[in-house]
Amino acid sequence: MKKNNLKPINEPIFLSTTSAQSEPSQWGYSRVDNPTRLALEGKLAEIEKGKFALAFSSGSSAIACLFALFKGGDHILCHREIYEGTHRLLEKIFKRFKIKFDLVDFNDPGEVKKSIRTNTKLIFFENITNPNLEKINIKKIRRSVPKKIIVAIDSTVCTPVFENPLELGADIVVHSLTKFISGHHDVLAGAVMTNKIDLFNQLKFIQQTMGLVLDPFSCYLISRGLKTLDLRMEKHTANAKKVAEFLEKEREVEKVIFPGVSGVVSFQLDRKIDPIGFLKKLKFIKIAQSFGGAESTILHPVSMMKLAIPVNINLFRLSVGFENVEDIINDLTRALK
């Protein structure tokens, strides 16, 4: 038989849960290490300018692993607007284990500094919040926090294309890979990146012990998505800019929030407009919980999320896809009129 010298461009998908071990001291179980997952984790570390990365079964499981670093009596300080799933983890799960937390305004580093306690172990916030799209300055927060306190950033909305928190002083970066990084509404996944070997080892131990790992096929899909991440984010952002400019001119729109990066635009309609009626008029844009895929999706936070903070009843979060932008704008025009 002729020898096959072909070298596949894509890494193979290793579906085997168990590997034969050359000696008993080796680990051969996929929950601990899997070649497809290890390949993805190397790429994730690289795009976040970090040394280490771990791939998780969801963004929430990645954040849960982060919170599991701490014990009863420890204190976590978060921005007043955090992802609803993060707030639910703290309020409904980790509070049971006597881990304390507070929500304060991270737009004011002085407020952050004032709110730090002797038992504060973690500062956690999103560099672009969801759904109000506030941009938080990582460097200013890091300067206001003692070095011994871990600073962790959820950079899901921003993506590594537009900001690398590890280079700005963060100790840990968290992503929901479900969103822009995988980018096609077909994978549920999360990730944690760090430059610190001690944090990496602790997080990896918790991950493999709790079984929070990502399956090999999902790892393959995300690796594929990473190849087009820069191109996709360029198109997402260009489309989002045009949509934001359109909305700014519409008299039915009271407020438009666009951070200038990423493909997400939030906007607030005139209070006279029925928000549910507006949603029902949309034909091209899909009503959906998640964001960051090829197709444009819209969320009405008040009716579709359980938020920890008050949000205007007429606020919408629009994830602008990379379809023809005229189709997106025409759909919004019809719904507004």
Side-chain angles (χ1 to χ4, degrees):
M1 182 182 292
K2 186 178 178 181
K3 186 177 179 180
N4 184 353
N5 292 318
L6 297 174
K7 295 181 179 179
I9 292 174
N10 293 319
E11 293 92 355
I13 305 174
F14 289 88
L15 296 175
S16 178
T17 56
T18 304
S19 299
Q21 299 168 210
S22 59
E23 54 183 67
S25 60
Q26 283 186 326
W27 282 95
Y29 193 41
S30 189
R31 177 161 55 83
V32 178
D33 279 320
N34 173 278
T36 313
R37 191 167 67 247
L38 288 171
L40 170 63
E41 289 170 343
K43 294 170 187 174
L44 292 172
E46 185 178 353
I47 65 171
E48 267 300 2
K49 310 294 174 62
K51 295 178 181 177
F52 311 104
L54 294 167
F56 289 81
S57 52
S58 69
S60 291
S61 65
I63 295 169
C65 185
L66 169 64
F67 292 162
L69 287 171
F70 308 104
K71 63 183 185 302
D74 287 344
H75 177 246
I76 297 172
L77 193 61
C78 300
H79 180 46
R80 56 175 167 72
E81 184 185 346
I82 54 172
Y83 167 60
E84 60 160 321
T86 303
H87 185 267
R88 192 162 52 245
L89 272 170
L90 287 168
E91 180 66 36
K92 303 297 183 183
I93 306 296
F94 285 92
K95 209 172 181 181
R96 297 179 189 175
F97 304 108
K98 310 302 181 186
I99 291 176
K100 305 175 188 302
F101 76 97
D102 284 310
L103 306 178
V104 301
D105 187 359
F106 275 46
N107 290 294
D108 181 358
E111 181 71 18
V112 175
K113 188 173 184 178
K114 187 172 66 175
S115 303
I116 291 171
R117 306 180 189 176
T118 55
N119 59 338
T120 302
K121 304 295 183 183
L122 174 68
I123 303 292
F124 185 71
F125 61 98
E126 297 164 68
N127 48 358
I128 298 180
T129 67
N130 174 23
N132 282 314
L133 305 185
E134 295 178 339
K135 182 73 179 77
I136 308 298
N137 190 304
I138 297 170
K139 282 186 175 179
K140 286 184 178 179
I141 298 298
R142 177 74 270 185
R143 285 197 293 266
S144 67
V145 174
K147 288 288 184 184
K148 64 180 182 179
I149 298 176
I150 297 168
V151 173
I153 313 296
D154 182 338
S155 191
T156 298
V157 176
C158 193
T159 81
V161 174
F162 300 112
E163 188 166 80
N164 297 116
L166 295 178
E167 293 192 321
L168 300 174
D171 300 297
I172 292 173
V173 183
V174 178
H175 283 280
S176 170
L177 302 177
T178 308
K179 313 302 192 300
F180 287 115
I181 289 182
S182 63
H184 293 83
H185 295 311
D186 57 5
V187 179
L188 188 70
V192 169
M193 295 83 152
T194 184
N195 280 323
K196 299 189 172 182
I197 185 66
D198 57 331
L199 287 176
F200 171 74
N201 286 334
Q202 292 176 68
L203 289 163
K204 186 170 178 62
F205 173 78
I206 295 166
Q207 181 196 42
Q208 69 186 44
T209 303
M210 296 177 71
L212 304 175
V213 296
L214 186 60
D215 68 278
F217 189 70
S218 294
C219 290
Y220 163 78
L221 289 174
I222 295 168
S223 288
R224 184 180 66 172
L226 287 176
K227 294 178 182 180
T228 60
L229 179 60
D230 282 11
L231 293 171
R232 288 188 289 105
M233 294 313 301
E234 182 181 334
K235 183 63 174 174
H236 277 301
T237 305
N239 277 1
K241 184 175 183 291
K242 290 177 181 178
V243 168
E245 289 170 350
F246 159 76
L247 290 169
E248 287 276 9
K249 298 172 184 176
E250 294 301 294
R251 63 183 180 185
E252 296 87 357
V253 179
E254 287 189 351
K255 184 179 181 181
V256 178
I257 312 164
F258 176 53
V261 297
S262 189
V264 184
V265 178
S266 288
F267 60 95
Q268 191 173 302
L269 293 181
D270 186 290
R271 67 192 70 185
K272 296 176 184 176
I273 297 176
D274 171 32
I276 306 304
F278 167 75
L279 284 178
K280 288 181 177 178
K281 289 179 184 176
L282 294 169
K283 303 299 180 187
F284 183 78
I285 300 166
K286 312 294 188 297
I287 302 169
Q289 286 275 355
S290 196
F291 65 90
E295 299 83 9
S296 296
T297 60
I298 193 165
L299 171 90
H300 180 234
V302 169
S303 63
M304 297 170 67
M305 298 173 77
K306 293 180 179 178
L307 294 162
I309 60 165
V311 169
N312 189 287
I313 192 170
N314 272 20
L315 181 77
F316 295 85
R317 185 198 70 200
L318 175 61
S319 175
V320 183
F322 45 82
E323 309 103 330
N324 184 328
V325 72
E326 293 303 321
D327 290 333
I328 303 168
I329 290 173
N330 288 340
D331 199 33
L332 290 167
T333 301
R334 282 192 301 269
L336 288 170
K337 304 302 181 188

